Amino acid sequence: MKKIVGTVTAQERDEIQSLYERKNGLAELARILTAENAQLYDRLVKDMSETATKFQNWWDEMARKYQWEGVENGHWEIDFSDCSIYLVTAE
């Protein structure tokens, strides 16, 4: 089930969209990169970790700022087209 719980500004949307695209790009790169190139592999792992942390920090910061409703085992999603934030649950 999806329920709208708020919105963010266009600038805030752009921040999370950039992180989302970077996170997905790094995940794609991880699928094709082997550990044979240790230096590149180590950098990829580091970038993935840093990006995941920034991604989660954005959600945590926005949740505090806007006081979005949340539930256990639920998560938030953003609609990049209109900056809406949805609470997604299994129900």
Side-chain angles (χ1 to χ4, degrees), residues 15-16 19-20 22-23 26 44-62 64:
E15 291 171 11
I16 195 63
L19 289 168
Y20 176 80
R22 180 168 180 80
K23 187 175 163 191
L26 290 169
L44 173 65
V45 170
K46 182 180 178 205
D47 282 355
M48 288 178 75
S49 175
E50 289 173 356
T51 301
T53 299
K54 289 177 184 177
F55 187 82
Q56 187 59 52
N57 287 345
W58 184 93
W59 283 105
D60 294 343
E61 181 182 332
M62 294 301 117
R64 278 190 302 276

PDB file of all heavy atoms in Angstrom, residues 15-16 19-20 22-23 26 44-62 64:
ATOM      1  N   GLU A  15      18.672  16.488  -5.095  1.00  0.00           N
ATOM      2  CA  GLU A  15      19.737  15.884  -4.294  1.00  0.00           C
ATOM      3  C   GLU A  15      19.562  14.368  -4.205  1.00  0.00           C
ATOM      4  O   GLU A  15      20.505  13.611  -4.443  1.00  0.00           O
ATOM      5  CB  GLU A  15      19.737  16.461  -2.871  1.00  0.00           C
ATOM      6  CG  GLU A  15      20.166  17.896  -2.777  1.00  0.00           C
ATOM      7  CD  GLU A  15      19.927  18.481  -1.383  1.00  0.00           C
ATOM      8  OE1 GLU A  15      19.626  17.723  -0.444  1.00  0.00           O
ATOM      9  OE2 GLU A  15      20.039  19.709  -1.247  1.00  0.00           O
ATOM     10  N   ILE A  16      18.337  13.915  -3.869  1.00  0.00           N
ATOM     11  CA  ILE A  16      18.129  12.478  -3.704  1.00  0.00           C
ATOM     12  C   ILE A  16      18.118  11.778  -5.057  1.00  0.00           C
ATOM     13  O   ILE A  16      18.559  10.636  -5.172  1.00  0.00           O
ATOM     14  CB  ILE A  16      16.856  12.160  -2.875  1.00  0.00           C
ATOM     15  CG1 ILE A  16      16.849  10.705  -2.411  1.00  0.00           C
ATOM     16  CG2 ILE A  16      15.596  12.481  -3.653  1.00  0.00           C
ATOM     17  CD1 ILE A  16      17.964  10.318  -1.476  1.00  0.00           C
ATOM     18  N   LEU A  19      21.727  11.112  -5.918  1.00  0.00           N
ATOM     19  CA  LEU A  19      22.241   9.994  -5.122  1.00  0.00           C
ATOM     20  C   LEU A  19      21.653   8.664  -5.589  1.00  0.00           C
ATOM     21  O   LEU A  19      22.364   7.654  -5.663  1.00  0.00           O
ATOM     22  CB  LEU A  19      21.932  10.217  -3.639  1.00  0.00           C
ATOM     23  CG  LEU A  19      22.736  11.318  -2.961  1.00  0.00           C
ATOM     24  CD1 LEU A  19      22.155  11.642  -1.588  1.00  0.00           C
ATOM     25  CD2 LEU A  19      24.200  10.918  -2.847  1.00  0.00           C
ATOM     26  N   TYR A  20      20.364   8.657  -5.917  1.00  0.00           N
ATOM     27  CA  TYR A  20      19.692   7.455  -6.395  1.00  0.00           C
ATOM     28  C   TYR A  20      20.343   6.959  -7.698  1.00  0.00           C
ATOM     29  O   TYR A  20      20.631   5.774  -7.852  1.00  0.00           O
ATOM     30  CB  TYR A  20      18.209   7.770  -6.609  1.00  0.00           C
ATOM     31  CG  TYR A  20      17.401   6.654  -7.197  1.00  0.00           C
ATOM     32  CD1 TYR A  20      16.954   5.601  -6.400  1.00  0.00           C
ATOM     33  CD2 TYR A  20      17.056   6.648  -8.553  1.00  0.00           C
ATOM     34  CE1 TYR A  20      16.189   4.569  -6.936  1.00  0.00           C
ATOM     35  CE2 TYR A  20      16.299   5.634  -9.087  1.00  0.00           C
ATOM     36  CZ  TYR A  20      15.868   4.601  -8.276  1.00  0.00           C
ATOM     37  OH  TYR A  20      15.121   3.585  -8.821  1.00  0.00           O
ATOM     38  N   ARG A  22      23.353   7.678  -8.808  1.00  0.00           N
ATOM     39  CA  ARG A  22      24.733   7.253  -8.531  1.00  0.00           C
ATOM     40  C   ARG A  22      24.741   5.864  -7.906  1.00  0.00           C
ATOM     41  O   ARG A  22      25.540   5.007  -8.276  1.00  0.00           O
ATOM     42  CB  ARG A  22      25.424   8.251  -7.612  1.00  0.00           C
ATOM     43  CG  ARG A  22      26.855   7.864  -7.292  1.00  0.00           C
ATOM     44  CD  ARG A  22      27.613   8.996  -6.622  1.00  0.00           C
ATOM     45  NE  ARG A  22      28.969   8.622  -6.325  1.00  0.00           N
ATOM     46  CZ  ARG A  22      29.977   8.613  -7.191  1.00  0.00           C
ATOM     47  NH1 ARG A  22      29.760   8.986  -8.444  1.00  0.00           N
ATOM     48  NH2 ARG A  22      31.189   8.245  -6.830  1.00  0.00           N
ATOM     49  N   LYS A  23      23.846   5.643  -6.947  1.00  0.00           N
ATOM     50  CA  LYS A  23      23.745   4.344  -6.280  1.00  0.00           C
ATOM     51  C   LYS A  23      23.442   3.240  -7.302  1.00  0.00           C
ATOM     52  O   LYS A  23      24.075   2.177  -7.285  1.00  0.00           O
ATOM     53  CB  LYS A  23      22.638   4.424  -5.224  1.00  0.00           C
ATOM     54  CG  LYS A  23      22.513   3.241  -4.327  1.00  0.00           C
ATOM     55  CD  LYS A  23      21.446   3.542  -3.262  1.00  0.00           C
ATOM     56  CE  LYS A  23      21.005   2.269  -2.618  1.00  0.00           C
ATOM     57  NZ  LYS A  23      19.826   2.443  -1.781  1.00  0.00           N
ATOM     58  N   LEU A  26      26.543   2.671  -9.619  1.00  0.00           N
ATOM     59  CA  LEU A  26      27.590   1.911  -8.940  1.00  0.00           C
ATOM     60  C   LEU A  26      27.207   0.436  -8.812  1.00  0.00           C
ATOM     61  O   LEU A  26      28.059  -0.447  -8.962  1.00  0.00           O
ATOM     62  CB  LEU A  26      27.879   2.514  -7.559  1.00  0.00           C
ATOM     63  CG  LEU A  26      28.570   3.875  -7.564  1.00  0.00           C
ATOM     64  CD1 LEU A  26      28.551   4.494  -6.169  1.00  0.00           C
ATOM     65  CD2 LEU A  26      29.987   3.778  -8.103  1.00  0.00           C
ATOM     66  N   LEU A  44      35.442   1.223  -5.832  1.00  0.00           N
ATOM     67  CA  LEU A  44      34.012   1.002  -6.054  1.00  0.00           C
ATOM     68  C   LEU A  44      33.316   0.691  -4.733  1.00  0.00           C
ATOM     69  O   LEU A  44      32.266   1.266  -4.432  1.00  0.00           O
ATOM     70  CB  LEU A  44      33.796  -0.139  -7.052  1.00  0.00           C
ATOM     71  CG  LEU A  44      32.341  -0.576  -7.241  1.00  0.00           C
ATOM     72  CD1 LEU A  44      31.513   0.543  -7.856  1.00  0.00           C
ATOM     73  CD2 LEU A  44      32.279  -1.830  -8.097  1.00  0.00           C
ATOM     74  N   VAL A  45      33.893  -0.193  -3.952  1.00  0.00           N
ATOM     75  CA  VAL A  45      33.295  -0.554  -2.667  1.00  0.00           C
ATOM     76  C   VAL A  45      33.193   0.670  -1.761  1.00  0.00           C
ATOM     77  O   VAL A  45      32.166   0.902  -1.111  1.00  0.00           O
ATOM     78  CB  VAL A  45      34.093  -1.692  -1.994  1.00  0.00           C
ATOM     79  CG1 VAL A  45      33.641  -1.913  -0.564  1.00  0.00           C
ATOM     80  CG2 VAL A  45      33.975  -2.969  -2.801  1.00  0.00           C
ATOM     81  N   LYS A  46      34.243   1.476  -1.742  1.00  0.00           N
ATOM     82  CA  LYS A  46      34.244   2.692  -0.928  1.00  0.00           C
ATOM     83  C   LYS A  46      33.169   3.664  -1.417  1.00  0.00           C
ATOM     84  O   LYS A  46      32.415   4.222  -0.610  1.00  0.00           O
ATOM     85  CB  LYS A  46      35.624   3.354  -0.986  1.00  0.00           C
ATOM     86  CG  LYS A  46      35.727   4.599  -0.141  1.00  0.00           C
ATOM     87  CD  LYS A  46      37.108   5.219  -0.228  1.00  0.00           C
ATOM     88  CE  LYS A  46      37.133   6.487   0.611  1.00  0.00           C
ATOM     89  NZ  LYS A  46      38.120   7.430   0.180  1.00  0.00           N
ATOM     90  N   ASP A  47      33.077   3.877  -2.732  1.00  0.00           N
ATOM     91  CA  ASP A  47      32.074   4.773  -3.292  1.00  0.00           C
ATOM     92  C   ASP A  47      30.661   4.277  -3.005  1.00  0.00           C
ATOM     93  O   ASP A  47      29.770   5.068  -2.699  1.00  0.00           O
ATOM     94  CB  ASP A  47      32.258   4.926  -4.803  1.00  0.00           C
ATOM     95  CG  ASP A  47      33.391   5.866  -5.176  1.00  0.00           C
ATOM     96  OD1 ASP A  47      33.976   6.485  -4.268  1.00  0.00           O
ATOM     97  OD2 ASP A  47      33.694   5.966  -6.379  1.00  0.00           O
ATOM     98  N   MET A  48      30.461   2.968  -3.102  1.00  0.00           N
ATOM     99  CA  MET A  48      29.136   2.403  -2.822  1.00  0.00           C
ATOM    100  C   MET A  48      28.751   2.655  -1.362  1.00  0.00           C
ATOM    101  O   MET A  48      27.609   3.035  -1.073  1.00  0.00           O
ATOM    102  CB  MET A  48      29.104   0.908  -3.137  1.00  0.00           C
ATOM    103  CG  MET A  48      29.138   0.609  -4.618  1.00  0.00           C
ATOM    104  SD  MET A  48      29.162  -1.154  -4.975  1.00  0.00           S
ATOM    105  CE  MET A  48      27.465  -1.583  -4.618  1.00  0.00           C
ATOM    106  N   SER A  49      29.683   2.462  -0.470  1.00  0.00           N
ATOM    107  CA  SER A  49      29.420   2.671   0.951  1.00  0.00           C
ATOM    108  C   SER A  49      29.120   4.140   1.243  1.00  0.00           C
ATOM    109  O   SER A  49      28.158   4.457   1.954  1.00  0.00           O
ATOM    110  CB  SER A  49      30.624   2.200   1.770  1.00  0.00           C
ATOM    111  OG  SER A  49      30.435   2.489   3.123  1.00  0.00           O
ATOM    112  N   GLU A  50      29.930   5.034   0.707  1.00  0.00           N
ATOM    113  CA  GLU A  50      29.727   6.463   0.928  1.00  0.00           C
ATOM    114  C   GLU A  50      28.397   6.930   0.345  1.00  0.00           C
ATOM    115  O   GLU A  50      27.677   7.707   0.978  1.00  0.00           O
ATOM    116  CB  GLU A  50      30.876   7.266   0.325  1.00  0.00           C
ATOM    117  CG  GLU A  50      32.181   7.115   1.075  1.00  0.00           C
ATOM    118  CD  GLU A  50      33.358   7.770   0.378  1.00  0.00           C
ATOM    119  OE1 GLU A  50      33.200   8.297  -0.760  1.00  0.00           O
ATOM    120  OE2 GLU A  50      34.459   7.753   0.967  1.00  0.00           O
ATOM    121  N   THR A  51      28.055   6.452  -0.836  1.00  0.00           N
ATOM    122  CA  THR A  51      26.805   6.845  -1.476  1.00  0.00           C
ATOM    123  C   THR A  51      25.612   6.306  -0.703  1.00  0.00           C
ATOM    124  O   THR A  51      24.620   7.022  -0.502  1.00  0.00           O
ATOM    125  CB  THR A  51      26.776   6.373  -2.941  1.00  0.00           C
ATOM    126  OG1 THR A  51      27.886   6.952  -3.626  1.00  0.00           O
ATOM    127  CG2 THR A  51      25.491   6.785  -3.634  1.00  0.00           C
ATOM    128  N   ALA A  52      25.687   5.068  -0.245  1.00  0.00           N
ATOM    129  CA  ALA A  52      24.592   4.486   0.542  1.00  0.00           C
ATOM    130  C   ALA A  52      24.387   5.266   1.835  1.00  0.00           C
ATOM    131  O   ALA A  52      23.242   5.504   2.257  1.00  0.00           O
ATOM    132  CB  ALA A  52      24.869   3.022   0.837  1.00  0.00           C
ATOM    133  N   THR A  53      25.473   5.693   2.456  1.00  0.00           N
ATOM    134  CA  THR A  53      25.380   6.479   3.688  1.00  0.00           C
ATOM    135  C   THR A  53      24.743   7.832   3.412  1.00  0.00           C
ATOM    136  O   THR A  53      23.844   8.269   4.146  1.00  0.00           O
ATOM    137  CB  THR A  53      26.772   6.661   4.319  1.00  0.00           C
ATOM    138  OG1 THR A  53      27.287   5.367   4.648  1.00  0.00           O
ATOM    139  CG2 THR A  53      26.719   7.532   5.559  1.00  0.00           C
ATOM    140  N   LYS A  54      25.168   8.513   2.356  1.00  0.00           N
ATOM    141  CA  LYS A  54      24.583   9.807   1.995  1.00  0.00           C
ATOM    142  C   LYS A  54      23.102   9.658   1.659  1.00  0.00           C
ATOM    143  O   LYS A  54      22.285  10.511   2.022  1.00  0.00           O
ATOM    144  CB  LYS A  54      25.324  10.417   0.803  1.00  0.00           C
ATOM    145  CG  LYS A  54      26.707  10.913   1.133  1.00  0.00           C
ATOM    146  CD  LYS A  54      27.413  11.438  -0.116  1.00  0.00           C
ATOM    147  CE  LYS A  54      28.840  11.846   0.170  1.00  0.00           C
ATOM    148  NZ  LYS A  54      29.542  12.274  -1.052  1.00  0.00           N
ATOM    149  N   PHE A  55      22.759   8.577   0.958  1.00  0.00           N
ATOM    150  CA  PHE A  55      21.375   8.296   0.582  1.00  0.00           C
ATOM    151  C   PHE A  55      20.515   8.147   1.841  1.00  0.00           C
ATOM    152  O   PHE A  55      19.467   8.786   1.976  1.00  0.00           O
ATOM    153  CB  PHE A  55      21.346   7.024  -0.266  1.00  0.00           C
ATOM    154  CG  PHE A  55      20.021   6.683  -0.876  1.00  0.00           C
ATOM    155  CD1 PHE A  55      19.607   7.293  -2.047  1.00  0.00           C
ATOM    156  CD2 PHE A  55      19.200   5.724  -0.292  1.00  0.00           C
ATOM    157  CE1 PHE A  55      18.393   6.952  -2.629  1.00  0.00           C
ATOM    158  CE2 PHE A  55      17.986   5.383  -0.870  1.00  0.00           C
ATOM    159  CZ  PHE A  55      17.583   6.003  -2.038  1.00  0.00           C
ATOM    160  N   GLN A  56      20.969   7.328   2.780  1.00  0.00           N
ATOM    161  CA  GLN A  56      20.208   7.108   4.014  1.00  0.00           C
ATOM    162  C   GLN A  56      20.154   8.373   4.858  1.00  0.00           C
ATOM    163  O   GLN A  56      19.114   8.685   5.449  1.00  0.00           O
ATOM    164  CB  GLN A  56      20.801   5.960   4.831  1.00  0.00           C
ATOM    165  CG  GLN A  56      19.948   5.593   6.037  1.00  0.00           C
ATOM    166  CD  GLN A  56      18.547   5.179   5.657  1.00  0.00           C
ATOM    167  OE1 GLN A  56      18.362   4.316   4.805  1.00  0.00           O
ATOM    168  NE2 GLN A  56      17.548   5.802   6.272  1.00  0.00           N
ATOM    169  N   ASN A  57      21.248   9.124   4.906  1.00  0.00           N
ATOM    170  CA  ASN A  57      21.268  10.375   5.665  1.00  0.00           C
ATOM    171  C   ASN A  57      20.264  11.378   5.118  1.00  0.00           C
ATOM    172  O   ASN A  57      19.636  12.118   5.874  1.00  0.00           O
ATOM    173  CB  ASN A  57      22.667  10.985   5.687  1.00  0.00           C
ATOM    174  CG  ASN A  57      23.623  10.234   6.579  1.00  0.00           C
ATOM    175  OD1 ASN A  57      23.229   9.416   7.405  1.00  0.00           O
ATOM    176  ND2 ASN A  57      24.906  10.494   6.397  1.00  0.00           N
ATOM    177  N   TRP A  58      20.109  11.420   3.795  1.00  0.00           N
ATOM    178  CA  TRP A  58      19.130  12.322   3.188  1.00  0.00           C
ATOM    179  C   TRP A  58      17.736  11.963   3.687  1.00  0.00           C
ATOM    180  O   TRP A  58      16.978  12.832   4.102  1.00  0.00           O
ATOM    181  CB  TRP A  58      19.196  12.250   1.650  1.00  0.00           C
ATOM    182  CG  TRP A  58      18.267  13.228   0.993  1.00  0.00           C
ATOM    183  CD1 TRP A  58      18.582  14.488   0.583  1.00  0.00           C
ATOM    184  CD2 TRP A  58      16.884  13.033   0.669  1.00  0.00           C
ATOM    185  NE1 TRP A  58      17.476  15.092   0.027  1.00  0.00           N
ATOM    186  CE2 TRP A  58      16.425  14.212   0.074  1.00  0.00           C
ATOM    187  CE3 TRP A  58      15.986  11.985   0.834  1.00  0.00           C
ATOM    188  CZ2 TRP A  58      15.108  14.379  -0.359  1.00  0.00           C
ATOM    189  CZ3 TRP A  58      14.679  12.141   0.408  1.00  0.00           C
ATOM    190  CH2 TRP A  58      14.238  13.327  -0.187  1.00  0.00           C
ATOM    191  N   TRP A  59      17.395  10.674   3.625  1.00  0.00           N
ATOM    192  CA  TRP A  59      16.064  10.243   4.082  1.00  0.00           C
ATOM    193  C   TRP A  59      15.865  10.549   5.560  1.00  0.00           C
ATOM    194  O   TRP A  59      14.806  11.032   5.972  1.00  0.00           O
ATOM    195  CB  TRP A  59      15.854   8.749   3.810  1.00  0.00           C
ATOM    196  CG  TRP A  59      15.546   8.487   2.368  1.00  0.00           C
ATOM    197  CD1 TRP A  59      16.387   7.957   1.439  1.00  0.00           C
ATOM    198  CD2 TRP A  59      14.319   8.765   1.686  1.00  0.00           C
ATOM    199  NE1 TRP A  59      15.759   7.887   0.219  1.00  0.00           N
ATOM    200  CE2 TRP A  59      14.490   8.374   0.335  1.00  0.00           C
ATOM    201  CE3 TRP A  59      13.101   9.300   2.069  1.00  0.00           C
ATOM    202  CZ2 TRP A  59      13.480   8.504  -0.614  1.00  0.00           C
ATOM    203  CZ3 TRP A  59      12.095   9.429   1.120  1.00  0.00           C
ATOM    204  CH2 TRP A  59      12.293   9.035  -0.206  1.00  0.00           C
ATOM    205  N   ASP A  60      16.865  10.288   6.384  1.00  0.00           N
ATOM    206  CA  ASP A  60      16.770  10.563   7.818  1.00  0.00           C
ATOM    207  C   ASP A  60      16.571  12.055   8.079  1.00  0.00           C
ATOM    208  O   ASP A  60      15.736  12.452   8.896  1.00  0.00           O
ATOM    209  CB  ASP A  60      18.021  10.071   8.552  1.00  0.00           C
ATOM    210  CG  ASP A  60      18.176   8.560   8.535  1.00  0.00           C
ATOM    211  OD1 ASP A  60      17.194   7.845   8.245  1.00  0.00           O
ATOM    212  OD2 ASP A  60      19.306   8.093   8.810  1.00  0.00           O
ATOM    213  N   GLU A  61      17.347  12.882   7.371  1.00  0.00           N
ATOM    214  CA  GLU A  61      17.265  14.327   7.555  1.00  0.00           C
ATOM    215  C   GLU A  61      15.899  14.865   7.126  1.00  0.00           C
ATOM    216  O   GLU A  61      15.281  15.674   7.832  1.00  0.00           O
ATOM    217  CB  GLU A  61      18.369  15.018   6.754  1.00  0.00           C
ATOM    218  CG  GLU A  61      18.376  16.522   6.899  1.00  0.00           C
ATOM    219  CD  GLU A  61      19.446  17.188   6.051  1.00  0.00           C
ATOM    220  OE1 GLU A  61      20.481  16.552   5.769  1.00  0.00           O
ATOM    221  OE2 GLU A  61      19.236  18.350   5.659  1.00  0.00           O
ATOM    222  N   MET A  62      15.407  14.422   5.988  1.00  0.00           N
ATOM    223  CA  MET A  62      14.106  14.892   5.498  1.00  0.00           C
ATOM    224  C   MET A  62      12.965  14.406   6.398  1.00  0.00           C
ATOM    225  O   MET A  62      12.007  15.147   6.646  1.00  0.00           O
ATOM    226  CB  MET A  62      13.865  14.433   4.055  1.00  0.00           C
ATOM    227  CG  MET A  62      14.811  15.044   3.032  1.00  0.00           C
ATOM    228  SD  MET A  62      14.760  16.844   2.961  1.00  0.00           S
ATOM    229  CE  MET A  62      16.430  17.225   3.469  1.00  0.00           C
ATOM    230  N   ARG A  64      13.119  13.907   9.607  1.00  0.00           N
ATOM    231  CA  ARG A  64      13.129  14.773  10.786  1.00  0.00           C
ATOM    232  C   ARG A  64      12.574  16.157  10.448  1.00  0.00           C
ATOM    233  O   ARG A  64      11.762  16.714  11.187  1.00  0.00           O
ATOM    234  CB  ARG A  64      14.548  14.912  11.341  1.00  0.00           C
ATOM    235  CG  ARG A  64      14.983  13.783  12.231  1.00  0.00           C
ATOM    236  CD  ARG A  64      16.292  14.086  12.954  1.00  0.00           C
ATOM    237  NE  ARG A  64      17.407  14.394  12.073  1.00  0.00           N
ATOM    238  CZ  ARG A  64      18.187  13.484  11.483  1.00  0.00           C
ATOM    239  NH1 ARG A  64      17.967  12.207  11.684  1.00  0.00           N
ATOM    240  NH2 ARG A  64      19.180  13.861  10.698  1.00  0.00           N
TER     241      ARG A  64
END
